Amino acid sequence: MNLRWSYTPTARELLRRIDRDLWDATGHNPIAMMGAISQARWEELATDDSYLQQLDCVMADLDRYLGDDTWFSRTHPNEIDNTIAYFSFEYGVSEALPLYAGGLGVLAGDHLKSASDMGVPVVAVGLLYQVGYFRQYLNPDGWQQEEYSENDFHAMPVEQVTCAGDSCPLCISVPIGDSIVHANVWRVNVGRVPLYLLDTNTDANSPADRAITYQLYGGDLEMRIRQEMLLGIGGTQALKFCLDAEPTAYHLNEGHAAFLALERVREAMVEHKLTFDEAFEATRVGNIFTTHTPVIAGHDRFPRALIERYFRQYHPQLGLTLDQFMALGADRGCSDQFCMTVLALRFSAWRNGVSELHGEVSRSTWAHEWPDSALEEVPIESVTNGIHTSSFISDDMATLFDRYLGAEWRTEPGDQGIWRRVSEIPEAELWRAHERRRERLVAVTRRRLRDQLEHRGVGSAALGRAHEALDPEALTIGFGRRFATYKRATLILRDCERLKALLTDRDRPIQFVFAGKAHPDDRPGKELIREIVHFTTDPAVRQRVVFLEDYDLQLARYIVQGVDVWLNTPRRPLEASGTSGMKVTANGGLNCSILDGWWAEAYTPETGWAIGHGEEYTDREHQDEVESEALYTLLEQEIVPLFYDRGADGIPHGWVERMKSAMQAVCPQFNSNRMLGEYTERFYLPAISRSESLAAGDFSAARDLAAWRRRVEASWREVKFLRIADDIEETTLFGDTITVTADVALGGLSPEDVQVELRFGNLDAAGEILEARNAPLAPQGAAPGGQRFAGTITCDGAGRWGYTARVLPRHEHLTNPVDVCCVRWAEA
């Protein structure tokens, strides 16, 4: 019942030994498998000394793991009593718990695994879907079909939470529109981390309310808002019953959970007698928001009528009119749509994208939320995603790592010194381990392909050809992801004749394994799948290109562990991060990708291949033409020759050298322990500290901050520059110091309420400041009509220099001055 077995090889092997066929048939679900095991088999195992010894070892290892001190307890011993609540719409911890659709859920699962390994006090919240995401199969024409298998919660590694002091199931009540929706609470143990899941499929609900947790990403906008209310509002309420103390910080994994911010405000108003503004200040400093998509259509927006229907009884509890409530989530200048991302941005003090490039894109996309702020100062940072390495590493590669890196690669995956030992792995051993995984991928592909063809009702000749699909020694390229159009799965098919020449080369062939699902409502995405499937029916290439149905965690592991090259062709900059390529590298594969997402910061010529140079295009047709040409050229001139250039021992030494370079560069940086360490140090701990500061003394600081903000906003229209002067002479030399004075009218504000500063630096050809820096101007006393401020800057570079001045609000409890959205610039 503890999902640590899902990422612990010895525990997985213990379960697999019970019945290998049944283990696979139940989707690696130990609870379902055990329910189907005969009594005779149990009696046989009970007398198997080797099995019992392995069982004792695995149990001892789990007990040791749960009892050990951790990175967090050693590094931050004074913070171990705090809790960070992590909210996500989906979780991909294990295929035994099918509550995920794709990368967002797998990332959430890895977040929890690293939190357990590192001892970060995270508690997670989500929904327990009756059918989860769909199972995929293809009809004879290659068109995606969906089927839904109902989850039997009693045959899954989840436990129903009971009320304290008795065995009655815990059931919470959540107002959703005019209904009171009842939700059972279930618990999943992910190592040390509890994951609480809400389920509305209970007799106490109407059929419509029971359906709220029926399907992940199913239904219309009305179903989506009901699910998001349950997650954000209901999840916040559930934690009150499940935890001994309220969490100190809340992490919103995407905007689906943004309603939790409103519920936190409402609870603070009721419990601590705060106004809305005071509760806003007290709670937002404890909210961390991670946005995952640069695609505008990926941000949930609800029309006014839907907000009115579902929040007409809720917004009066916040002391707000419907118009005021709508304004909380309305894009500036668009009052008829309520955007969950906007709500999360405004009600969180800490915000981030999931790669450096995505951080830049997010700042540009949402800059209008902070008008008059410099683009680089829009308060959205970045924490690049990572993978839970031991969850995706093959047994063959793990054995090599244990032998040459030491066991620390599992517990300290961010230690660069450990990964430098990859150079000590003999080339022959590394290459043979990788070849075994490719052979395994080919075997799995042939078996699954035969099952697919049988399901479609094809003839015996086609079934026979399934056993000949792929060559275990050929260069194997993988493509596995959600089939959204911007990911361009068919870019490689743009010149079919050129591709066929590569596929059918007698001496140096390549082959492809495709997998992935399109959203049920995404017809263009389904067309991409159909196009690939049709291509695979060409007799010239059908043994070289396969599409595998029903991409899930189990199939993903086979593919990322077995391919030689991982192909990624998104339309830059629409790939927020991506993590599949990281999993490939950890298993010895190499990446060939557009410079987007994580690869834009990871790529070097020694670690893989870049398609293009990071260009962005307005003409999509031209972009596809240019980048497909670049891809074919890479394959023909670099990738294929390097793979097939073998030494006398049959080993491609240049290729293996690049495998090692990629592992050494990527593995210590792009892992979820590093990622979670960043979240902890940069966001979680500061959020906890500021939350405690604002709550001290009956929230006196929060009350003061709210009053200060109202005063600043009321007075800001009167703030303006009256005069700016400097002592610049006709020629300014390198190293010269310039003194600047500024007289500023402050209206009803005092000098302590503001910070006046210069932004200065080199000028470009248009006279704009490049890479601007800030220098404070200190109060000097009264000036005619206002207050005087003065300071200096030093010209420490060559070329044209310039400066401007601005006024920002200042308060000791303000997390970031630009969040007040009050900026006054000096006029040119």
Side-chain angles (χ1 to χ4, degrees), residues 98 100 130-139 143-151 214-216 218 448 451-452 455-456 517-521 526 549-552:
Y100 61 94
Q130 194 67 48
V131 298
Y133 207 47
F134 67 90
R135 304 294 301 272
Q136 177 200 54
Y137 69 95
L138 304 180
N139 70 14
W143 191 255
Q144 174 182 290
Q145 304 289 303
E146 298 88 29
E147 62 181 0
Y148 298 89
S149 302
E150 293 212 359
N151 292 320
Y214 180 69
Q215 183 181 339
L216 172 61
R448 291 184 67 124
D451 291 344
Q452 291 175 196
H455 187 265
R456 293 182 211 167
K517 299 176 179 179
H519 187 278
D521 298 329
K526 292 182 176 182
E549 299 173 2
D550 204 28
Y551 190 48
D552 64 1

Side-chain angles (χ1 to χ4, degrees), residues 588-606:
L590 299 173
N591 280 268
C592 177
S593 175
I594 299 291
L595 288 171
D596 199 6
W598 79 282
W599 192 237
E601 60 196 85
Y603 164 73
T604 68
E606 295 76 34

Side-chain angles (χ1 to χ4, degrees), residues 441-513:
L441 172 60
V442 170
V444 169
T445 297
R446 290 172 176 175
R447 184 176 69 245
R448 291 184 67 124
L449 188 58
R450 181 179 176 85
D451 291 344
Q452 291 175 196
L453 294 174
E454 282 184 340
H455 187 265
R456 293 182 211 167
V458 304
S460 57
L463 287 177
R465 286 194 295 270
H467 291 297
E468 301 171 357
L470 304 185
D471 178 347
E473 296 183 356
L475 171 59
T476 305
I477 301 173
F479 184 101
R481 56 191 22 86
R482 183 166 54 91
F483 268 68
T485 52
Y486 76 87
K487 294 179 183 285
R488 298 189 297 175
T490 56
L491 187 67
I492 188 66
L493 302 184
R494 192 171 176 88
D495 187 339
C496 286
E497 294 308 312
R498 195 169 175 184
L499 176 59
K500 286 180 181 179
L502 286 162
L503 293 167
T504 59
D505 188 294
R506 290 186 58 184
D507 299 319
R508 304 190 308 177
I510 68 172
Q511 57 194 11
F512 284 86
V513 177

Side-chain angles (χ1 to χ4, degrees), residues 276-297:
F276 177 87
D277 292 342
E278 293 166 348
F280 169 80
E281 301 293 356
T283 58
R284 71 179 292 275
V285 293
N287 294 339
I288 301 101
F289 170 53
T290 299
T291 177
H292 285 265
T293 177
V295 181
I296 293 299

